[in-house]
Amino acid sequence: MTHEEKRAWIMLVVSAVGYAVYAIVVLSRVDGGPLAATHYAGVLLWTIGGAIVASIVAEIAIGVVNPRASRVKDVRDREIGRLGDHVGQAFVIIGAVSALLMALAEWDWFWIGNVIYLCFVLSAVVGSLAKVIVYRRGVPQW
């Protein structure tokens, strides 16, 4: 497994787990009231920060476990990285347009913030999943 594939796995797992933790904590705070009245900002920031720290720690751990592993990117790694990024970027655009439309319609900040966060997570998960699949099955020939 190449270093870049390991990085894709790290992003996939950390993003999915981070968002799951966020969703569980926010949903546990509802207490029968409206979901939009739930305090979410602190949890959102902590889970994003925690995901960043977890990714850094996981990459350091992989480097410590196998210090002699090559970190050189070849043409295949660059193509796979580009493909995964293109797949994931679609969700960033969807999130931005959705947030813009929600703001124009004067939706509650809770929904706007959550759609942006969800689309960032989907971008990371789907982009990383695309990279892992292409690493396993090969670069498609167009």
Side-chain angles (χ1 to χ4, degrees):
M1 186 181 303
T2 68
H3 182 69
E4 291 301 311
E5 184 179 357
K6 290 175 188 172
R7 292 183 74 203
W9 274 107
I10 290 169
M11 182 171 285
L12 175 67
V13 171
V14 168
S15 298
V17 169
Y19 190 78
V21 167
Y22 169 75
I24 290 167
V25 171
V26 168
L27 291 174
S28 71
R29 291 181 170 188
V30 173
D31 291 333
L35 189 58
T38 306
H39 296 288
Y40 70 96
V43 179
L44 186 134
L45 294 173
W46 276 106
T47 55
I48 290 172
I52 291 168
V53 170
S55 292
I56 292 169
V57 169
E59 290 211 27
I60 291 170
I62 285 175
V64 168
V65 169
N66 194 359
R68 296 177 191 230
S70 174
R71 286 168 178 61
V72 176
K73 287 185 183 181
D74 61 5
V75 174
R76 180 174 177 258
D77 287 327
R78 284 190 288 277
E79 286 181 17
I80 291 171
R82 193 174 311 118
L83 176 67
D85 290 344
H86 285 251
V87 170
Q89 284 176 352
F91 289 95
V92 173
I93 302 302
I94 291 168
V97 171
S98 298
L100 176 66
L101 294 173
M102 293 165 91
L104 290 172
E106 298 181 2
W107 284 31
D108 191 9
W109 292 348
F110 174 87
W111 298 112
I112 296 170
N114 276 284
V115 79
I116 292 170
Y117 184 33
L118 175 63
C119 287
F120 277 138
V121 170
L122 287 174
S123 173
V125 168
V126 173
S128 297
L129 188 60
K131 290 177 188 179
V132 168
I133 289 170
V134 173
Y135 271 114
R136 296 292 167 178
R137 295 192 178 169
V139 179
Q141 300 301 317
W142 307 103

